[in-house]
Amino acid sequence: MDEQLFFKKLNSLCTSKDIFDFLSSLEVMSDTMASGALQRISEVEVDDNGVKNPEEVLENEVFRALCFQFEFESSKLSNTGLLNALQALIKLRIDPQSTLMASLLSEGEERLGKGQLTVKNLCALGESLLELERPSWAMLEQIVNHMQEKDIEKWSPREMVMVYKMLQVTVSEGEQYQDLLNRMNSVTLTIVSQLSPKFTSIILNSLVVLHQTQAVPLVTALCKHSVKHIPYFTGDELVDVLEAFLYFGHREQIFTEVLETHVPKSIFTMHPQTVSKVMQYCCRKMILSKPIFDAVAEGFISNGDRFTTDQIAEYIIPFGTLNYLPPCASSLFGKLETILHTRFSHFQPHTLLKLLHSCVLIQRYPVNFLPKIFSPYFLQQLQAQPPGLDRTVTSQLTQLFLTVTLECPFYEGPKLLPKYQVKAFLKPHSSLDVHLLKRVKTGLLYLLKKRIYFASDVSTPYFYTVDIEIKLDEEGFVLPAAQCEEVHRRIALCVDGRNRFCVNSHNLLGEEAIKQRHLQLLGYEVVQIPFFDIESLQNCRKMADYLHKKIFPHTYGLSC
């Protein structure tokens, strides 16, 4: 039978039985046709769960006859026939240690060594090896070495992707293939627009694994290109893309906008791990997307029982970090409480602490679980597992304890022992906008005339650090900052730069919101000085006028 006619007929068949019947009717066929038949069998018989009917396929006489010929005549096969058969048999889960597979792999290795394989052949062999549980690293390295000698500009997108995948598993700490990678990165940049969703995610993942931080133009182009593929990525592909955005520190406003359309539509069909990665992306990039967060909350209420403990934490923690309560907050946290009651002991200690700490940031108080958190047994568990009781962990414990002390006076459970409390909370590395603080201090100096009337970066006895503190006596007069007697009122100025808010938003982050809430409960008059109020104030006088109205709203304005 003519090969073209053969493949047309073969590709119209949808069951292995039909394929075997068709093959039985043929008197003779080429090795290309025979390997094509094996490939078609693997296509119809293999799904995500493996081979559908292994016995029906592997015990079939026609199948066994094909395998027999491939095993004992491997040296006579064309490159295409050999490599297509190898790919199909690996998909069909044929034992890699069997004499059939050993024969085909040995023949492939021999031709590789003799330099008889084209770029297409090399990539097909590499793809087959990567599918094996224990691939031959030496063969993969040999393939990559042969590919180095080829003209990269003539590679198809599929071939480019395969070499990236092979490099992922063959490149160790050394930079032996960095020159090849530099050339590949340059050529890939020219074909980005041709890449499918699958190829886009694979290359981005490879760039992460291979630490290609210098390939900025390619990363940027791939991230932009990925936007149009968002509705078509599989869950795993979208996870890889988001991981690349996080690793390379890339943010694309339109990417977030398309996610805001995609996630609400797909929330009930998306895998929880994919949703977790979306939330991690939003959280790390400080992106408060209400459409995404609202949809994720609804998804958690419906399906939270089926999530792993890590997924539960990854769904919920961003709500606290970004200081957002969705419309269905009572149902969301009711669901979380129910899950915690039934699965409390299943959570890793550090995961549990992060989860409960995130809840208090948005005034959701886990009082029913705090006796267990403050128990010596739980604290020992925290200490025994990395990172142990480091400064971040003890800060979270202290803030939990401070929260129930200030905001839950009815709590009568165990207290957090002083030895587990920090003296001061860690200040986030970028929490203070030094330039903005300097402008506010200049305005205050203009307003109060002397520098002695305010202090900056003031440590309080209550763990928090105040950006600027002003003390007043009983009559409302400003006292020198160093004076400790006759202090009637303390004003805490919170100079909130952009980095204390969610991106492109006036929504304070959870850590800053709880700090301002607690300072008020501790007796401070909290005055917020947000960046969006003062960035447009063009001179010192305007800044002083603004500060006067904010800090002393009931006194007369400044004299000229």
Side-chain angles (χ1 to χ4, degrees):
M1 179 184 270
D2 171 65
E3 275 198 12
Q4 198 173 354
L5 193 61
F6 169 83
F7 281 108
K8 188 177 178 183
K9 172 70 175 171
L10 180 68
N11 291 328
S12 70
L13 303 174
C14 298
T15 68
S16 56
K17 183 183 180 306
D18 289 344
I19 294 170
F20 290 136
D21 288 345
F22 170 53
L23 297 179
S24 300
S25 69
L26 302 174
E27 288 184 17
V28 67
M29 57 181 156
S30 67
D31 68 331
T32 310
M33 292 159 74
S35 64
L38 286 179
Q39 281 198 309
R40 184 61 186 156
I41 292 164
S42 71
E43 286 168 9
V44 300
E45 283 297 333
V46 178
D47 59 20
D48 292 338
N49 301 314
V51 185
K52 297 177 199 170
N53 307 296
E55 286 183 14
E56 282 182 31
V57 175
L58 306 185
E59 298 301 321
N60 183 278
E61 285 182 16
V62 176
F63 182 80
R64 290 167 74 89
L66 284 173
C67 291
F68 183 85
Q69 269 191 299
F70 278 110
E71 180 177 346
F72 292 101
E73 297 183 13
S74 58
S75 61
K76 298 177 184 176
L77 299 172
S78 65
N79 286 342
T80 303
L82 172 72
L83 297 169
N84 285 353
L86 188 59
Q87 278 185 325
L89 294 168
I90 288 171
K91 274 190 187 175
L92 289 165
R93 310 290 199 271
I94 303 299
D95 181 5
Q97 306 302 319
S98 66
T99 53
L100 165 63
M101 295 297 283
S103 174
L104 295 177
L105 285 166
S106 173
E107 183 61 31
E109 187 171 15
E110 191 176 324
R111 297 185 193 189
L112 174 63
K114 291 177 179 175
Q116 295 174 348
L117 303 180
T118 64
V119 167
K120 187 177 180 181
N121 297 154
L122 289 165
C123 289
L125 180 58
E127 188 171 8
S128 295
L129 291 172
L130 290 173
E131 290 291 326
L132 293 173
E133 201 169 306
R134 293 193 188 91
S136 164
W137 306 120
M139 275 179 76
L140 282 169
E141 206 164 321
Q142 225 181 326
I143 293 170
V144 172
N145 288 334
H146 278 293
M147 293 298 289
Q148 276 198 104
E149 299 162 9
K150 308 292 183 183
D151 184 353
I152 296 176
E153 293 187 4
K154 292 181 180 174
W155 295 359
S156 69
R158 181 181 185 80
E159 288 158 359
M160 188 72 78
V161 165
M162 278 315 306
V163 180
Y164 273 115
K165 285 180 77 173
M166 285 186 279
L167 284 169
Q168 267 186 255
V169 297
T170 55
V171 171
S172 55
E173 291 303 308
E175 297 182 0
Q176 63 188 109
Y177 292 112
Q178 191 54 56
D179 179 58
L180 171 62
L181 275 164
N182 290 341
R183 289 185 289 138
M184 286 171 61
N185 294 342
S186 297
V187 175
T188 303
L189 183 58
T190 66
I191 60 166
V192 165
S193 61
Q194 302 170 39
L195 298 176
S196 66
K198 181 179 179 180
F199 289 173
T200 303
S201 73
I202 289 173
I203 295 176
L204 276 171
N205 179 242
S206 296
L207 295 175
V208 170
V209 174
L210 296 164
H211 310 298
Q212 295 299 290
T213 49
Q214 80 292 344
V216 176
L218 176 57
V219 170
T220 304
L222 287 167
C223 287
K224 287 179 183 292
H225 181 64
S226 67
V227 172
K228 70 176 187 181
H229 290 322
I230 286 176
Y232 311 107
F233 284 127
T234 65
D236 289 342
E237 288 165 2
L238 183 55
V239 166
D240 284 342
V241 171
L242 290 166
E243 194 58 60
F245 269 79
L246 291 170
Y247 180 81
F248 292 109
H250 194 81
R251 186 167 62 228
E252 196 75 47
Q253 179 61 30
I254 191 165
F255 183 87
T256 305
E257 289 168 9
V258 177
L259 269 184
E260 286 180 337
T261 304
H262 175 67
V263 173
K265 282 196 300 193
S266 315
I267 191 66
F268 295 108
T269 55
M270 289 174 79
H271 192 281
Q273 202 55 43
T274 310
V275 180
S276 293
K277 186 57 73 173
V278 170
M279 291 301 275
Q280 186 190 359
Y281 168 77
C282 290
C283 193
R284 293 252 299 272
K285 297 286 188 184
M286 303 302 180
I287 298 168
L288 174 55
S289 165
K290 292 181 181 180
I292 291 175
F293 277 52
D294 291 350
V296 168
E298 294 289 353
F300 185 86
I301 292 164
S302 298
N303 300 312
D305 299 306
R306 300 202 288 271
F307 298 167
T308 66
T309 53
D310 281 347
Q311 287 165 354
I312 291 165
E314 286 157 357
Y315 266 63
I316 299 297
I317 288 171
F319 286 93
T321 305
L322 302 190
N323 186 29
Y324 178 65
L325 285 171
C328 59
S330 60
S331 300
L332 174 66
F333 288 94
K335 180 75 170 187
L336 176 61
E337 185 166 11
T338 303
I339 291 171
L340 285 172
H341 273 299
T342 55
R343 297 171 64 187
F344 187 89
S345 62
H346 299 174
F347 283 82
Q348 289 296 314
H350 287 281
T351 303
L352 191 60
L353 177 61
K354 287 178 194 168
L355 176 60
L356 298 185
H357 176 258
S358 73
C359 292
V360 300
L361 298 180
I362 41 177
Q363 297 175 278
R364 288 296 178 269
Y365 310 111
V367 285
N368 294 329
F369 307 103
L370 291 182
K372 292 180 180 177
I373 296 294
F374 296 147
S375 72
Y377 173 70
F378 185 80
L379 294 168
Q380 284 167 9
Q381 283 187 307
L382 281 176
Q383 194 157 16
Q385 295 181 12
L389 289 171
D390 68 3
R391 187 82 186 278
T392 302
V393 173
T394 47
S395 289
Q396 289 174 338
L397 284 166
T398 306
Q399 199 162 41
L400 266 178
F401 178 59
L402 183 61
T403 299
V404 291
T405 305
L406 294 175
E407 301 184 58
C408 308
F410 52 85
Y411 173 74
E412 295 178 350
K415 312 294 186 194
L416 181 67
L417 294 175
K419 69 176 181 177
Y420 296 112
Q421 296 178 27
V422 292
K423 290 191 172 74
F425 290 132
L426 278 171
K427 286 188 288 184
H429 180 63
S430 59
S431 71
L432 193 61
D433 185 327
V434 179
H435 175 67
L436 207 62
L437 182 67
K438 188 177 177 182
R439 288 189 62 208
V440 171
K441 283 158 73 172
T442 305
L444 273 178
L445 188 58
Y446 190 98
L447 176 66
L448 302 176
K449 308 304 180 193
K450 288 186 180 177
R451 181 65 179 81
I452 62 166
Y453 290 119
F454 62 92
S456 58
D457 206 25
V458 180
S459 296
T460 71
Y462 314 108
F463 315 109
Y464 292 109
T465 301
V466 173
D467 297 335
I468 296 175
E469 183 184 60
I470 298 172
K471 298 173 180 175
L472 306 178
D473 67 12
E474 197 168 355
E475 294 179 21
F477 290 107
V478 179
L479 297 170
Q483 185 169 325
C484 297
E485 301 82 26
E486 301 178 10
V487 178
H488 187 68
R489 292 161 59 200
R490 291 175 187 269
I491 297 174
L493 266 61
C494 295
V495 183
D496 295 330
R498 290 179 184 276
N499 43 20
R500 289 184 179 175
F501 293 86
C502 300
V503 168
N504 301 327
S505 163
H506 293 177
N507 196 78
L508 268 180
L509 297 172
E511 283 284 4
E512 195 58 32
I514 195 173
K515 171 185 169 180
Q516 295 184 17
R517 199 166 73 235
H518 283 178
L519 287 174
Q520 274 189 315
L521 292 168
L522 289 163
Y524 283 88
E525 291 177 32
V526 175
V527 176
Q528 190 187 10
I529 312 291
F531 75 91
F532 46 83
D533 276 1
I534 58 177
E535 277 189 339
S536 61
L537 301 178
Q538 291 161 354
N539 58 45
C540 192
R541 174 58 192 256
K542 286 184 178 177
M543 176 68 82
D545 279 341
Y546 168 81
L547 292 171
H548 184 266
K549 288 171 189 168
K550 287 285 283 196
I551 305 167
F552 309 110
H554 305 302
T555 58
Y556 293 111
L558 295 172
S559 58
C560 293

